[in-house]
Amino acid sequence: MACERHVDALTALALGGPLEPEVAAHLAVCSACQAWLAGEQSVAAAVDHALALVARVEPEGDFHVRLRMTAERAAPVMRHAWWWSAAAVAAAILTLVVVRVPPTDSLPAAATVSIPTTPALPPSVPSDVAAATAPHDRAPVVRVARAARDRRSTATPPEPHVLVPAGQAEAIVRLFGNLPADSGPVGLAASPAPVGQAPGVGDIDRIVVPPIVIEALVVPRPLLLAPEPQK
Amino acid sequence: MSAESEVDRDFEDRIRDSGRLAFHIAYGVLRQRQDAEEIAQEAFARAFHRLHQLRDRERFRAWLTRTTWRLAIDRWRADRRREARELQNVDAWRPSVEQVAVERERARHVWLAIDRLPEKLRIVTVLAAIEGHDTREVALLLDIPEGTVKSRLFSARRQLAERLRWLANDTSTR
């Protein structure tokens, strides 16, 4: 065993630290510390020897080719991932621009979303199918109206001011429908078309939602997948 | 040159630049050539996904280091769990001290001690071995200050020395 007051210095020395003059003088006369230092150095050498193995071993043969092939095989679709990402971001921005949600401080107590419906189709029909089968002379828009900010105000509610393509109407309704239960009154009701409605628009589904802020749009996973091969 | 072939060439360069690094990191954890190759391949497959986000070379190498390390550690832990399960079922065979060369046994103990280091100390120990103790390069790969690398390296060596001191005693009594 080394002299206790020199143990730390000897360990540091064995690990490549400097040899302090005081320790050097002590080492010259203390055989116990010399043996201790030799032991520490042999441990350090064993560690170095084992670790040196890591740098000595090389991958076999055409390792780089195998790396490349594996990477490409694992990710054939993602070659143009940047393009899909850019498209998804652009779609999200476009949606946010079209559905202009007011900032929190100017949100009304409630908002009304008016959606033209196609009476011939059941409500369960997907929106893209509904859009595809809808007559072209119908106005393919959804009108989003703000209620008066102050509910006590007796002023006439403002006119609808945001138009949304009909193909996105159901998605918006779903978005509102997915709001947490405690987020306020959410309801869907049928009502007659308002006076002055665009020609061809029939009954109106009306959804009443509390003020919301859309923080982010999540692009559905299937958008990032490659198209199914033609059978 | 098309964008696709540019991506191909870029990826090719990075494989040449960092392929061995990924292999050595994985080997430093697993000590199995085949396993290390598989981990390096998996890391590069992930890198291929993110190539557009990792344009900067230094950033790419740092990301690859972390990813390879993570994958290798996960594999190492899974192997250890599997070995533990297998040992519970197979009690018949145990290599005796006589069957194993002394040097190999010593190396095994050294690696066991390295494996038991806290992860922060373990990664600098392995990376320093790969990079020839170049602490600046290790700092770049881990995105930490060089001083931190040095102090962690010293702590790791100190812990190893404490755990392996019996090896020195064992040798001296031989």
Side-chain angles (χ1 to χ4, degrees), chain A:
Chain A
M1 183 68 189
C3 303
E4 195 153 335
R5 70 195 192 94
H6 293 301
V7 165
D8 285 348
L10 291 175
T11 304
L13 179 62
L15 297 178
L19 176 59
E20 293 163 15
E22 188 197 346
V23 178
H26 175 75
L27 261 179
V29 295
C30 180
S31 58
C33 282
Q34 287 170 12
W36 171 272
L37 178 62
E40 293 286 289
Q41 284 171 333
S42 85
V43 169
V47 171
D48 283 340
H49 181 73
L51 286 168
L53 175 74
V54 177
R56 272 206 310 271
V57 175
E58 293 294 335
E60 285 176 343
D62 50 356
F63 174 60
H64 288 175
V65 176
R66 291 199 300 281
L67 269 186
R68 188 192 171 86
M69 283 172 62
T70 310
E72 289 186 345
R73 222 177 17 242
V77 176
M78 298 308 291
R79 180 179 290 274
H80 300 298
W82 63 270
W83 192 94
W84 286 105
S85 302
V89 169
I93 291 171
L94 182 66
T95 309
L96 285 174
V97 168
V98 172
V99 184
R100 286 182 298 177
V101 178
T104 315
D105 59 356
S106 65
L107 280 173
T112 302
V113 183
S114 303
I115 305 151
T117 58
T118 309
L121 291 170
S124 60
V125 173
S127 61
D128 52 351
V129 175
T133 55
H136 292 297
D137 59 349
R138 294 204 162 189
V141 298
V142 172
R143 290 162 183 257
V144 180
R146 280 185 192 165
R149 180 171 186 174
D150 185 351
R151 287 191 141 186
R152 290 168 299 182
S153 168
T154 54
T156 310
E159 286 295 309
H161 69 290
V162 177
L163 303 182
V164 180
Q168 296 180 11
E170 194 167 313
I172 293 168
V173 171
R174 282 202 200 110
L175 175 65
F176 289 164
N178 286 335
L179 287 173
D182 59 356
S183 62
V186 178
L188 184 67
S191 68
V195 176
Q197 185 60 274
V201 175
D203 293 338
I204 302 292
D205 279 348
R206 176 159 295 181
I207 182 166
V208 179
V209 297
I212 61 165
V213 175
I214 297 177
E215 292 178 340
L217 285 181
V218 179
V219 178
R221 182 77 184 157
L223 279 180
L224 298 177
L225 298 177
E228 289 282 327
Q230 294 289 333
K231 291 183 180 172

